[in-house]
Structures are given as C-alpha cells and as structure tokens.
Amino acid sequence: MMDVWAAVPVKSFTGAKSRTASILSPEQREILAATMLEDVLSALAGARRLGGILVNTIDPTASALAERYGARIVTEGALDGHTGAVNGMARILAAEGKALLTLPGDIPRVTSAEVDAVVGSSLSAPSFTIVPAHDELGSNAVLCAPPSSVKLRFGDDSYFPHLMAARAAGIEPTVVRLPGIGLDIDHPNDLRAFVNAKPYRRTRTLALLERFGF
C-alpha cells in the first residue's frame, strides 16, 4: 500500500457558506466554517492509517487551525476553486510517491474510524475509492492511489462522473458509504439534518449550532 495522506482544500472563511445566508449572518457563517474544519482536522489527526495531512489554503485562520493539528500547509492551486486546490495537492503528493485522500472541510460528523475505514477499503494501486454525499450527488471523500490515477473534477453533481472517470481509466471504483463523511453542510436543510442526526455526537459544530439556536 502507498502511504495515504489526507488532502483538505479550504477556501477563505470570508463569505463562506453563502447558501445558508437566509438563516445565518456573515459572522456566523465564518465561525461555522472554521468550527467545521476543526472537527474534520480533529478526526484526521486521530486516524491511525494516515501518513499525514495536507491543507491547501491561503486563509490565515484556516492555516493556524491546520498547524494546530499537525497539518502541512500548501497553496498550490488554492485560488483555483475546490478542484484546482485538490489537483494542486495531488501533484505534490504524486511527486512524493504518496496516495491522496481528499475530503472537504464541511463534514463535521466525520470520525477517525470512518477515515481509517476508507483507507482500509482501498485496493492496491492503481485504485480509486469514493464516499458519496448522502444524496449521492457529491463526492465527499476520494482516495486515489496514485493521485493521478483518475481525473478529478468536483461540484454539486460529481459522484457519478467520478465513477465514470475511474472506469474510463480502467479502474473499477470501490464505493464506501459512511454517514459522517456523507453529511456535508451547504444548505439550511443540511444544518437541520446535522442537528438531528443519530447517533448523537457532541461535536464542536453541534455545540456551536445549539448556541445559534438550532
């Protein structure tokens, strides 16, 4: 097995989570984005099967959080959107002979055990493992070994295109469904689903949303 590194792209917290603007103020959304990222970093730092963590960002608050959890900060492609930032990290890890496990910073119910389950499900290289979003539209975790094995392109409807891209590259994708990784927070309905999710998990994000009145 190749050494697997987590790769987390983080946009600027300013203006974050704009699709929740109908129920959260700009300041609340910035705090929410930072709190969710900390929950994700905590889970990654506790995973046993990861070789390390990369965070691709130019946001100083995100960089400080990442360093607190032992992550390595990079900026290649940081201004080129989610896909550009992931591909920047893929190039770095490919040059170092490592595998890439990319996850977003807005899946605060992720656990260390789920991260280890994704890594443990990966087959010998070349391989492609994916965890879909709860609606089976987004790609909430993708493990590429090596990082260049499948062309990655993220967006609101990337799950099935990623399956097709893997098969076009001659790789049968491994699909792993995990509730924590699967629940990303983009819309007001996602916030409500997160607050009501079972089993109960006392995350930083849940405590924050309770303070916000959810």
Side-chain angles (χ1 to χ4, degrees):
M1 283 291 295
M2 299 178 70
D3 197 20
V4 178
W5 276 56
V8 185
V10 183
K11 294 185 290 187
S12 172
F13 290 150
T14 303
K17 296 300 164 188
S18 59
R19 285 179 281 190
T20 63
S22 61
I23 58 174
L24 294 177
S25 69
E27 181 181 10
Q28 286 176 322
R29 288 186 278 118
E30 288 185 31
I31 297 170
L32 173 64
T35 304
M36 291 193 296
L37 175 62
E38 186 165 8
D39 276 331
V40 171
L41 290 170
S42 177
L44 294 175
R48 297 180 178 181
R49 291 176 175 262
L50 289 177
I53 306 168
L54 282 186
V55 172
N56 195 340
T57 190
I58 60 169
D59 186 279
T61 301
S63 295
L65 274 174
E67 288 173 350
R68 188 184 307 167
Y69 286 90
R72 175 178 158 198
I73 312 300
V74 297
T75 59
E76 183 174 340
L79 296 177
D80 299 329
H82 188 113
T83 298
V86 171
N87 286 332
M89 290 185 284
R91 289 190 292 271
I92 291 169
L93 293 175
E96 297 174 357
K98 297 165 180 155
L100 171 141
L101 170 59
T102 185
L103 312 93
D106 62 354
I107 50 171
R109 277 184 64 86
V110 61
T111 65
S112 300
E114 286 189 336
V115 174
D116 284 334
V118 178
V119 178
S121 298
S122 179
L123 304 177
S124 299
S127 65
F128 181 83
T129 304
I130 188 166
V131 182
H134 61 96
D135 56 8
E136 293 211 338
L137 293 176
S139 307
N140 282 15
V142 172
L143 198 164
C144 289
S148 59
S149 57
V150 175
K151 185 175 182 179
L152 301 178
R153 184 180 299 276
F154 293 88
D156 290 337
D157 189 11
S158 65
Y159 172 55
F160 287 104
H162 275 147
L163 296 182
M164 291 187 288
R167 290 174 179 135
I171 300 171
E172 183 57 31
T174 299
V175 177
V176 182
R177 290 178 172 81
L178 296 164
I181 292 176
L183 183 53
D184 53 321
I185 296 181
D186 283 313
H187 302 280
N189 286 343
D190 298 330
L191 289 169
R192 299 183 186 100
F194 175 82
V195 169
N196 294 315
K198 305 298 181 194
Y200 178 84
R201 288 193 62 242
R202 187 66 178 175
T203 60
R204 297 169 185 81
T205 302
L206 181 59
L208 176 71
L209 291 173
E210 288 174 349
R211 291 201 299 273
F212 287 169
F214 282 84

